[in-house]
Amino acid sequence: LYCAALLLEIAALIKLRYDQPDLPRAFRIPAEGFWLWMMFLPAFVVSAWAMCLGGWQVRAFALGLLVGGALIILLVNYLRGAFPSWFSGVEGVQLFGADASKDEDA
């Protein structure tokens, strides 16, 4: 289960590095492009290998958690579009991916 979490963390880091490269961060890994991938390749390979060595129950449980998490994300994104009022009105909180120009006009 820890290996699945590590794989998701690595994927999220790489995705955010490409999608939002100028986002202010408390710490920035000093690697870009190919070297960023190479830095996480050993951790990815070892984690994937450890998941493969686990029994089928471990793999099924990890896959169930991954699918369940993806379904929750899809549901929340749908609800944000269908019922935007449910996700507004919280002071000081900006929705992930929200357009900054909308907030400035308000």
Side-chain angles (χ1 to χ4, degrees):
L1 188 58
Y2 175 76
C3 292
L6 183 62
L7 292 174
L8 288 175
E9 289 171 15
I10 292 170
L13 181 137
I14 291 174
K15 180 179 181 341
L16 283 174
R17 181 60 67 95
Y18 282 102
D19 288 352
Q20 300 180 6
D22 298 325
L23 186 70
R25 297 171 173 88
F27 176 77
R28 185 174 178 89
I29 296 172
E32 297 290 335
F34 174 78
W35 294 111
L36 182 67
W37 286 87
M38 290 299 104
M39 183 172 148
F40 288 107
L41 184 65
F44 183 84
V45 169
V46 169
S47 295
W49 181 250
M51 285 182 63
C52 291
L53 291 178
W56 69 270
Q57 296 95 344
V58 173
R59 288 192 295 269
F61 184 70
L63 181 63
L65 288 177
L66 291 173
V67 169
L71 290 176
I72 289 171
I73 290 170
L74 291 173
L75 175 64
V76 169
N77 282 334
Y78 167 75
L79 291 175
R80 283 174 68 187
F83 305 101
S85 63
W86 291 4
F87 298 91
S88 64
V90 179
E91 298 264 341
V93 175
Q94 181 181 2
L95 295 176
F96 179 75
D99 187 13
S101 62
K102 287 188 215 175
D103 294 337
E104 293 172 1
D105 294 340

